[in-house]
């Protein structure tokens, strides 16, 4: 999914679309992300420091680093292939 020209994006819902890749690097204002039930094997939200709401259940995520997401209030990452602890 190409969102390159949407740097002011604050909210994104792309649930149940068989998406395999989602580049959110140039989305510093993103605070609400719903990407459940896709085919995502990785999700980099390290540049999305305004993120408050993340729903990414039902994907194929093996890791999820939330170390830069200090404003995160709501998270659902169930039904993935996550191993170990969330960072």
């Amino acid at each position: 999914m190409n969102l390159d020209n949407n740097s002011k994006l604050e909210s994104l819902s792309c649930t149940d679309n068989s998406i395999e890749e989602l580049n959110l690097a140039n989305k510093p204002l993103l605070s609400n992300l719903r990407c459940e039930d896709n085919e995502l094997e990785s999700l980099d939200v390290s540049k999305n420091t305004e993120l408050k709401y993340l729903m990414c259940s039902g994907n194929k995520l093996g890791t999820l680093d939330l170390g830069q997401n200090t404003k995160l209030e709501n998270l659902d990452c169930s039904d993935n292939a996550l191993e170990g602890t969330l960072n």
Side-chain angles (χ1 to χ4, degrees):
M1 180 172 216
N2 186 336
L3 301 169
D4 290 344
N5 295 324
N6 297 303
S7 62
K8 295 183 180 182
L9 190 67
E10 294 180 18
S11 183
L12 174 63
S13 179
C14 54
T15 301
D16 199 18
N17 282 291
S18 300
I19 294 170
E20 295 179 359
E21 185 177 328
L22 189 57
N23 184 347
L24 303 169
N26 189 28
K27 310 295 172 273
L29 303 178
L30 188 67
S31 62
N32 181 354
L33 175 59
R34 294 190 63 131
C35 57
E36 305 106 300
D37 302 317
N38 283 293
E39 301 292 324
L40 296 171
E41 292 184 13
S42 66
L43 182 63
D44 184 355
V45 291
S46 62
K47 305 281 190 216
N48 311 108
T49 57
E50 296 298 315
L51 199 60
K52 293 181 183 177
Y53 186 87
L54 174 59
M55 301 293 124
C56 58
S57 62
N59 281 287
K60 299 177 180 180
L61 301 176
T63 62
L64 186 59
D65 186 349
L66 302 173
Q68 301 301 313
N69 305 100
T70 58
K71 296 181 180 181
L72 194 62
E73 296 173 2
N74 293 297
L75 170 67
D76 182 0
C77 56
S78 61
D79 196 23
N80 276 288
L82 293 171
E83 296 181 15
T85 59
L86 293 176
N87 295 324

